[in-house]
Amino acid sequence: MIDPRPVLFSGVQPSGNLTIGNYLGAIGRFAEFSEKYKCFYCVVDEHAITVRQVPADLRRRTYETLALYIACGLDVEKNTLFVQSHVPAHAELAWILSCYTMFGELSRMTQFKDKSARHSDNINAGLFTYPVLMASDILLYRASAVPVGSDQKQHVELTRNIAQRFNQQFPDTFVVPEPVISTSGARIMSLAEPDKKMSKSDPNENAVVRILDDRDTVIRKFRRAVTDSGNEVRYSPDKPGVSNLIDIYSCFTGKDVASVEREFDGLGYAEFKTAVGEACADRLAPVQAEYKRLLADRPYLEEVMKKGAEEASYYAGRMLSKVRRKIGFVNL
Ligand code: AQP
């Protein structure tokens, strides 16, 4: 039976060890949506191959990402957790939608520009059409809400354009989704270059705090974080390093910016950075413990994958056959 609640969809690529950017901008917020929405949380392995992956690593990370979803509080009974490549409808709808997406629109995507600069030896067509696959992920489930970090907002807007264009020709097909971007944690920046977002594939380990980094590593990375001249803990555009750390501390402690500034007034950067590291490590500790327990139980994770793939295929199959019918394909 179809659940009557509004639908929410989000995904994370198993393209590296997840960072506190992925945690604060996405995965750590997911559990809060489970009551209000029918939630689909996907491990988007098809997106991950837009950059070269070592097959054994991709397979391992797919299990790890699923385990992290659960360790971050997602109840497998209340949410549909699944792996994208287990539901072939994603790739099939993506092809159809690519015929309703303009070359010019894709050329304007800033993530394509960033990633093609970073992977200049492998600017493949998948990297370019990635947002169409993301539109397919969302539209297949009639999702009205898509929680993402602010880096993905442009892709959700493109999804809206594609849905509206398709609906114009074939009314009442897709639900036009809205991005759900949190006011805090939406854009966590690199600890080494605070004008760049923190990315799991950043080759500089000191730039990135991973959800699975142990306590000492977390604290050491924050102690090494690039700060700005002066020694005042103040949120300001001319202090991007310190502002990023204030954001992170505020997300992990629930304190607002003004009270963080007051707390560290006159104390200097060293003390502040240690406190950020400790707050982060305290929050990650229970997630890490639960993650370890889950990862040791592969049969359980495979059961979750199978159940998720069945549920997701049911919803996705209904939408795909509706689209096929509308555009004139013969449904047997
Ligand atoms: N730095 C960030 N701050 C806040 N949110 C972030 N997200 C990613 N980085 C930050 C959010 O995490 C979700 C999953 O992201 P993804 O795995 O689909 O890919 P991405 O956006 O490309 O993330 P990365 O870490 O930068 O991956 P790589 O290095 O593989 O490209 C999304 O909701 C994203 O907004």
Side-chain angles (χ1 to χ4, degrees):
M1 220 211 24
I2 294 281
D3 191 313
R5 288 173 299 172
V7 177
L8 176 147
F9 179 95
S10 200
V12 173
Q13 299 183 57
S15 52
N17 294 326
L18 300 197
T19 71
I20 55 166
N22 300 124
Y23 181 80
L24 295 174
I27 195 165
R29 304 164 51 211
F30 287 171
E32 75 190 62
F33 299 115
S34 299
E35 296 305 326
K36 188 169 161 206
Y37 295 96
K38 163 71 192 152
C39 298
F40 292 87
Y41 292 116
C42 187
V43 180
V44 287
D45 54 349
E46 290 172 340
H47 286 287
I49 62 165
T50 52
V51 302
R52 292 282 174 259
Q53 302 289 338
V54 175
D57 290 348
L58 179 62
R59 199 168 296 120
R60 176 177 49 78
R61 287 193 188 121
T62 301
Y63 283 94
E64 291 173 353
T65 308
L66 183 72
L68 260 185
Y69 270 154
I70 306 169
C72 287
L74 288 181
D75 182 334
V76 300
E77 298 304 326
K78 288 192 185 153
N79 302 280
T80 302
L81 307 184
F82 71 107
V83 176
Q84 186 183 31
S85 66
H86 292 164
V87 183
H90 288 245
E92 200 175 336
L93 182 64
W95 170 252
I96 296 171
L97 296 181
S98 71
C99 302
Y100 290 82
T101 309
M102 299 302 133
F103 178 84
E105 286 176 307
L106 291 175
S107 310
R108 286 194 289 276
M109 295 296 112
T110 52
Q111 196 176 71
F112 171 70
K113 291 182 201 161
D114 290 351
K115 285 204 174 174
S116 49
R118 270 196 280 149
H119 304 278
S120 54
D121 55 334
N122 179 27
I123 307 177
N124 61 70
L127 195 62
F128 187 65
T129 58
Y130 161 117
V132 184
L133 180 58
M134 180 163 161
S136 163
D137 300 337
I138 297 166
L139 299 179
L140 268 180
Y141 299 96
R142 309 177 55 78
S144 53
V146 185
V148 283
S150 59
D151 60 314
Q152 292 289 345
K153 186 168 175 242
Q154 198 185 26
H155 291 163
V156 182
E157 274 158 8
L158 176 67
T159 301
R160 291 171 56 83
N161 292 343
I162 298 172
Q164 280 159 345
R165 184 172 300 131
F166 195 94
N167 283 351
Q168 225 161 27
Q169 193 176 348
F170 305 108
D172 303 321
T173 309
F174 293 125
V175 170
V176 179
E178 294 279 351
V180 179
I181 297 173
S182 133
T183 44
S184 62
R187 192 165 171 81
I188 300 300
M189 309 307 279
S190 152
L191 296 192
E193 297 166 81
D195 55 331
K196 256 178 51 184
K197 93 166 175 142
M198 186 181 285
S199 260
K200 59 173 118 61
S201 55
D202 193 321
N204 178 2
E205 261 312 302
N206 287 323
V208 179
V209 178
R210 307 207 179 261
I211 301 178
L212 299 173
D213 277 346
D214 63 46
R215 187 175 184 85
D216 289 349
T217 307
V218 171
I219 293 174
R220 179 174 43 76
K221 284 182 177 175
F222 277 109
R223 281 201 181 125
R224 285 201 188 150
V226 167
T227 34
D228 316 278
S229 54
N231 60 1
E232 214 186 331
V233 177
R234 186 169 45 83
Y235 202 95
S236 144
D238 62 342
K239 286 175 163 278
V242 172
S243 300
N244 185 37
L245 295 180
I246 293 178
D247 265 338
I248 294 171
Y249 186 70
S250 153
C251 287
F252 281 125
T253 58
K255 296 173 184 170
D256 62 26
V257 170
S259 53
V260 178
E261 287 175 339
R262 270 197 308 277
E263 186 178 346
F264 293 96
D265 189 24
L267 291 181
Y269 289 159
E271 203 160 324
F272 173 54
K273 290 202 260 186
T274 305
V276 184
E278 284 171 349
C280 175
D282 287 349
R283 172 70 78 82
L284 296 181
V287 173
Q288 294 174 352
E290 179 62 358
Y291 166 83
K292 269 192 200 131
R293 190 187 69 75
L294 287 160
L295 203 63
D297 193 351
R298 277 213 174 192
Y300 171 72
L301 292 175
E302 281 166 6
E303 226 176 84
V304 173
M305 281 182 197
K306 274 191 201 139
K307 174 174 167 285
E310 269 168 33
E311 280 172 19
S313 297
Y314 173 71
Y315 282 79
R318 284 170 62 108
M319 177 54 87
L320 187 62
S321 79
K322 178 176 176 181
V323 169
R324 289 178 51 95
R325 205 174 49 246
K326 289 203 173 202
I327 60 175
F329 288 173
V330 175
N331 273 339
L332 287 180

